[in-house]
Amino acid sequence: MINKKLVIIIPARMNSKGIKKKNLKKINGKSLINITINQALKLNPHKIIISSEDQTLERKIIKKKNIFFYRRPTYLSKDNIHTVNVVLDC
């Protein structure tokens, strides 16, 4: 039997066209990125990877042993980049 482990990749681009720094905006006292992480944790993943070019985001995320921050290259943070390219880079 193959031992499968769930890895969740959360793409979190810094400069959204609509709302600047939207991942750090708070809803009911929690940042959008931490709300997303909490939802991902409910799936009991082996690892969660937050992919972003935003250096301030790394300091603001929930600190847990299976959550990792991956600073992606700037060229993967443009408007025309597809999510699959971000996932493959991770």
Side-chain angles (χ1 to χ4, degrees):
M1 179 178 216
I2 297 174
N3 185 9
K4 296 181 182 183
K5 295 181 179 180
L6 176 63
V7 175
I8 296 174
I9 299 172
I10 300 172
R13 199 173 90 174
M14 177 173 59
N15 289 321
S16 167
K17 287 200 263 183
I19 303 171
K20 298 297 178 197
K21 298 266 187 185
K22 73 178 176 188
N23 296 306
L24 298 176
K25 298 291 182 193
K26 297 203 174 199
I27 300 171
N28 292 330
K30 291 185 180 179
S31 67
L32 183 59
I33 190 66
N34 281 327
I35 292 169
T36 305
I37 291 169
N38 282 329
Q39 290 300 312
L41 286 169
K42 291 179 181 179
L43 299 172
N44 197 24
H46 172 68
K47 186 185 297 185
I48 296 174
I49 302 169
I50 293 96
S51 171
S52 181
E53 79 286 10
D54 188 355
Q55 296 174 7
T56 60
L57 189 61
E58 184 174 10
R59 295 187 299 266
K60 302 283 185 177
I61 60 172
I62 296 171
K63 304 293 189 231
K64 293 194 187 271
K65 65 178 181 175
N66 63 337
I67 299 175
F68 301 91
F69 185 86
Y70 173 72
R71 190 169 299 138
R72 72 173 118 155
T74 307
Y75 75 90
L76 286 174
S77 300
K78 306 285 184 208
D79 289 341
N80 60 345
I81 297 298
H82 296 283
T83 305
V84 68
N85 296 69
V86 174
V87 170
L88 290 173
D89 183 61
C90 282

